[in-house]
Amino acid sequence: MAPEGHSVDQLLGQARTELSAASSTQELAEVRAGYLGKKGSISQLLRTLGKLDPAERKQRGQAVNDAKQAIEAHFAECRAALEGSARQRALAETQLDVTLPGAAPRRGHLHPLTHVTRDMVSFFTSMGFSVEEGPEVETDWHNFEALNIPAEHPSRDEQDTFYVSGGNLLRTQTSNVQIRAMTGRTPPFRFIAPGRVYRHDLSPKHSPMFHQIEGFLVDDRVTFGDLKGVLFAFAKHLFGEETELRFRANHFPFTEPSAEMDLTWKGEWLEWGGCGMIHPQVLERCGIDPETWRGFAFGMGIDRTALLRYGFPALRLLFEGDVRVLEQI
Ligand code: DAH
C-alpha cells in the first residue's frame, strides 16, 4: 500500500529489493502482486492520476508507467534466476558421483561337492587316469550280475535298490562303470568315475541320493601294493601329509582280495571306502583275459569325504540347497 506522498522512485526501489529477496517463485509472485496486482500500490497510484491536473498527470503517469515496466522487467529477471537455480539444484541432486567407490556385487561360489569332486578328479588326471561316466538308470547286469552279485546275493540287501520300469534300476554304486568301461577295451587302462548313486535309505542322517567315486586300473603287473600307494597319495592329497590309512580285510563280490580302508581324522580312525584286486571273473565278463591282466579298484563316498574335509555334521545338509548352510563352508 503506497502512502500518498511516496515517490514513485522510492516505490520502485522498494519493489526491486523485495523482488530480489524473494526465495521462491511463489513468494516472488506475491511481491509482484503487492505492486502490480489489482490492489497493488502501483495500480492504486495509477488510479489516483485522474485527480491531477493534465500537465502533472502526464508527467506522473509517465513515471508510474515506467516504474510498472521496470518492476515487470525485474520480476521476469528474478523469476528466470529462481527457476534456473531450481533446475540447477534438481540436476545436482540427481548427479552421479562417479568417484564414489562402487558396491561390490555378491559373488557366489561352487558347491562344496563340486569343489571336492574337482579336486579328486584333478588328482587322478595328474596321474594319467581319465574320467568315465555311466548311466544312473542302469541294468541289473551292470550294477549287480557282472560284478558277481547274483539275484540272491546277500550284499544286495545292503544296497536297498530303487527299481524302475523295464527291470532297470537306479545304480546303487559307481562300480557299474567298471563293467561299462572295461567291456570292449583292451588294457592297459586307468579310469575314475565320479557320479550319483541311489539307495532306499530313509535315515535322516543319510540321503537316498549320494555320490561315489570309483577308480580302477588294469595292467599286466599290478599289485595290491600299487593300490595302497595310490590310495595313500590320494588320502594325503585330500586331508594332508600327516594322514594315515589302514586296510582291513573285507569282502566285496567284485574284488579278491578285498579291503576296507580307514583314515585318521582328528585322531580317530574313520571308515572311508572299499578296495581290492578286481575279481578274475569280473575281468573275464568284460572280455579281458585274467591270465594276462590284473587290476585294482576302489570306491568311496564323495559326500562323506566332503563332510570330513569341511567338518560338516550331516550329509543331507549338502543337498538341501540352503545357502546359509552352504556359505559356511
Ligand atoms: N561299490 C562299493 C560300495 O558301494 C565300494 C567299492 C568297494 C568299490 C570295493 C570298489 C571296490 O571299486 O573295489 O560299497
Side-chain angles (χ1 to χ4, degrees):
M1 216 101 338
E4 217 38 45
H6 248 194
S7 85
V8 178
D9 279 351
Q10 245 177 328
L11 216 49
L12 176 58
Q14 194 184 317
R16 279 200 164 119
T17 313
E18 284 175 22
L19 286 170
S20 299
S23 58
S24 67
T25 50
Q26 160 85 20
E27 202 185 325
L28 195 70
E30 281 164 14
V31 173
R32 179 187 171 279
Y35 292 91
L36 307 182
K38 258 192 201 146
K39 292 180 183 162
S41 29
I42 295 287
S43 313
Q44 282 179 10
L45 268 185
L46 282 170
R47 263 180 247 125
T48 61
L49 292 178
K51 292 180 203 152
L52 303 174
D53 61 69
E56 209 184 343
R57 189 195 304 156
K58 190 176 177 206
Q59 195 205 11
R60 194 144 165 90
Q62 182 70 48
V64 176
N65 270 317
D66 285 352
K68 186 181 168 179
Q69 271 165 29
I71 291 171
E72 282 290 18
H74 194 61
F75 167 76
E77 259 170 47
C78 288
R79 190 175 56 184
L82 277 178
E83 282 172 356
S85 66
R87 203 174 313 127
Q88 223 47 51
R89 231 176 305 125
L91 273 179
E93 268 165 23
T94 56
Q95 215 166 38
L96 207 63
D97 183 354
V98 291
T99 65
L100 279 175
R106 256 168 73 88
R107 279 179 61 184
H109 61 79
L110 294 175
H111 193 280
L113 280 179
T114 310
H115 267 299
V116 173
T117 307
R118 286 190 184 177
D119 191 21
M120 289 174 155
V121 167
S122 77
F123 171 81
F124 281 107
T125 51
S126 79
M127 296 203 335
F129 283 69
S130 37
V131 180
E132 279 286 308
E133 282 182 343
E136 289 172 31
V137 177
E138 188 51 293
T139 64
D140 192 87
W141 168 258
H142 291 93
N143 193 82
F144 289 130
E145 287 281 340
L147 289 162
N148 278 343
I149 314 174
E152 301 308 323
H153 198 281
S155 88
R156 288 211 183 194
D157 293 344
E158 290 161 27
Q159 304 196 354
D160 281 331
T161 310
F162 288 113
Y163 287 93
V164 297
S165 57
N168 291 327
L169 46 87
L170 297 184
R171 68 172 174 190
T172 58
Q173 50 188 355
T174 44
S175 305
N176 70 323
V177 184
Q178 288 190 33
I179 307 305
R180 295 220 166 244
M182 291 198 292
T183 304
R185 273 207 177 98
T186 310
F189 47 65
R190 45 197 141 165
F191 293 115
I192 46 161
R196 290 196 180 102
V197 298
Y198 302 84
R199 290 183 198 178
H200 186 263
D201 184 341
L202 298 177
S203 150
K205 274 199 148 183
H206 297 158
S207 156
M209 186 283 295
F210 55 102
H211 301 78
Q212 286 186 337
I213 185 165
E214 191 86 6
F216 48 104
L217 177 152
V218 178
D219 210 323
D220 55 353
R221 288 167 299 155
V222 181
T223 67
F224 203 97
D226 297 321
L227 171 60
K228 284 175 84 172
V230 167
L231 290 173
F232 265 107
F234 186 36
K236 286 175 192 293
H237 170 79
L238 291 173
F239 295 104
E241 265 315 301
E242 62 297 338
T243 309
E244 304 264 14
L245 267 194
R246 77 178 176 194
F247 293 81
R248 281 181 291 107
N250 202 300
H251 171 77
F252 293 105
F254 39 91
T255 43
E256 182 57 38
S258 304
E260 244 175 352
M261 62 236 173
D262 302 332
L263 53 73
T264 50
W265 188 78
K266 293 191 175 167
E268 256 187 282
W269 285 108
L270 293 181
E271 194 187 314
W272 188 36
C275 64
M277 302 304 290
I278 299 176
H279 199 292
Q281 281 176 10
V282 173
L283 290 176
E284 235 167 16
R285 284 196 195 98
C286 298
I288 294 166
D289 179 7
E291 298 295 326
T292 315
W293 305 104
R294 288 149 189 248
F296 68 63
F298 59 88
M300 65 271 296
I302 298 178
D303 323 80
R304 187 165 160 70
T305 306
L307 296 191
L308 293 179
R309 191 154 153 176
Y310 295 115
F312 217 54
L315 193 130
R316 284 177 90 107
L317 291 173
L318 284 174
F319 306 129
E320 281 169 354
D322 187 331
V323 176
R324 291 168 306 176
V325 171
L326 297 177
E327 268 178 347
Q328 294 174 35
I329 296 179

